[in-house]
Amino acid sequence: MNQTSPFYAFKYMFLDNKILNKFFIFFVLIMINLLPQIISNGAEHIGPLKYLGIFFVMSCVSLVAQILYYGYWASCIKSLTEQNQNFLLPMFNFKKDSLLGLKCFAGQLLLGLAVFFAILTIGIILAIIFAVLFHINNITATILGIAVLILFAMLLFIASCIYYPSAIRLFATTEEPLAFFNFKEIIRLIKANSDIYYKYVGILILASLLMIILFVIAFIPCAMLTLKYPIIAFSLVFLFIGILGAYINTVSVYAIAKCIR
């Protein structure tokens, strides 16, 4: 597996003798992001008011960790775009990565809101159309409605898989929050690198599927362990998510950085 192969994304990080330090950063940030989920499982033991207070504090801590995560992730992507061989992830820089993460978070939040309102508008229009069709023929309208919903979800998923890698890479190189809305440049980059772009998009999808498969495999014995040792089983699940998530993130960093020349 040489450096020209997209599958090199699964290997490159192990050639870095400081990868454990960088891997640990991703692991810690992912684990902190899971804090609200951890406390939610103990709500019945601490009372509603105390639970809400702790949940609020942990959500704030998780938000800070998410910003730092986005910053370090984008910093890693930018670093790899500038390297042609012996790919090394950068060390975590709190000041630099927190500022970059804040920009990335703001850009993705704005993009998410834009997509939400676009989907909401389309949904309202379709709802009106199918309401009319339902009065004409309810069975046909129901079948057609389900088909359109499935098709729309598939198209949205495919569009996001194609659009997002180019968008986040453009952000990483420009560090501009509005880079996510530079549709013309994002699409131009995809077209100009179509011979390699979709291969790396495939790597991102493969990495996500790998994470799901490995999680399911690990979850089965943990679920059995829950019967006698729920706390241990619960801890193992979250620990595995953190470790696996950190590795998949290093894979995605390479794939996004190298999907465009």
Side-chain angles (χ1 to χ4, degrees):
M1 188 188 300
N2 55 45
Q3 295 183 5
T4 60
S5 171
F7 289 96
Y8 192 70
F10 292 98
K11 173 186 176 182
Y12 80 99
M13 71 288 293
F14 298 117
L15 303 178
D16 183 357
N17 57 13
K18 294 184 178 179
I19 187 58
L20 288 179
N21 297 332
K22 303 162 187 178
F23 191 85
F24 183 70
I25 294 297
F26 276 122
F27 172 78
V28 170
L29 293 177
I30 290 172
M31 293 303 291
I32 294 176
N33 270 293
L34 293 175
L35 283 177
Q37 283 71 38
I38 294 175
I39 188 62
S40 65
N41 285 271
E44 67 276 8
H45 302 297
I46 59 178
L49 292 179
K50 192 173 181 180
Y51 163 73
L52 287 175
I54 296 175
F55 183 80
F56 175 77
V57 172
M58 287 192 169
S59 295
C60 291
V61 173
S62 177
L63 179 61
V64 173
Q66 189 174 8
I67 290 172
L68 291 174
Y69 162 80
Y70 279 129
Y72 185 52
W73 191 53
S75 181
C76 289
I77 293 172
K78 183 177 182 179
S79 179
L80 289 189
T81 60
E82 299 168 350
Q83 301 175 41
N84 295 318
Q85 58 183 356
N86 301 323
F87 304 106
L88 301 175
L89 297 176
M91 297 300 292
F92 179 72
N93 184 307
F94 182 84
K95 182 179 179 180
K96 174 186 174 184
D97 293 336
S98 59
L99 180 59
L100 185 59
L102 192 59
K103 291 179 180 179
C104 187
F105 182 82
Q108 292 194 93
L109 179 61
L110 290 173
L111 180 64
L113 288 173
V115 171
F116 171 76
F117 284 114
I119 293 175
L120 181 63
T121 302
I122 294 172
I124 292 173
I125 295 172
L126 289 176
I128 295 172
I129 293 173
F130 283 109
V132 174
L133 292 176
F134 190 83
H135 283 288
I136 298 174
N137 190 315
N138 59 351
I139 297 177
T140 302
T142 301
I143 296 173
L144 187 60
I146 294 173
V148 170
L149 183 62
I150 294 173
L151 179 62
F152 182 76
M154 289 176 61
L155 290 175
L156 184 64
F157 173 75
I158 293 171
S160 62
C161 287
I162 294 174
Y163 183 84
Y164 188 73
S166 181
I168 191 67
R169 189 186 184 281
L170 182 62
F171 166 80
T173 54
T174 63
E175 299 186 8
E176 293 291 334
L178 294 180
F180 292 99
F181 293 91
N182 193 344
F183 304 116
K184 184 177 179 180
E185 179 63 11
I186 290 169
I187 294 172
R188 185 194 71 79
L189 291 171
I190 294 173
K191 289 182 178 179
N193 297 273
S194 59
D195 58 323
I196 62 170
Y197 186 81
Y198 296 104
K199 294 178 182 178
Y200 283 103
V201 170
I203 291 296
L204 291 172
I205 296 174
L206 180 62
S208 299
L209 291 174
L210 178 64
M211 182 172 181
I212 294 172
I213 292 170
L214 291 177
F215 175 75
V216 171
I217 293 173
F219 182 78
I220 294 173
C222 287
M224 296 174 65
L225 190 63
T226 303
L227 298 175
K228 285 191 174 182
Y229 308 101
I231 296 178
I232 295 176
F234 189 72
S235 300
L236 287 174
V237 168
F238 276 91
L239 184 64
F240 187 74
I241 291 174
I243 295 173
L244 187 58
Y247 172 67
I248 296 302
N249 270 281
T250 58
V251 173
S252 70
V253 162
Y254 183 92
I256 293 173
K258 298 304 173 184
C259 67
I260 292 171
R261 296 182 183 88

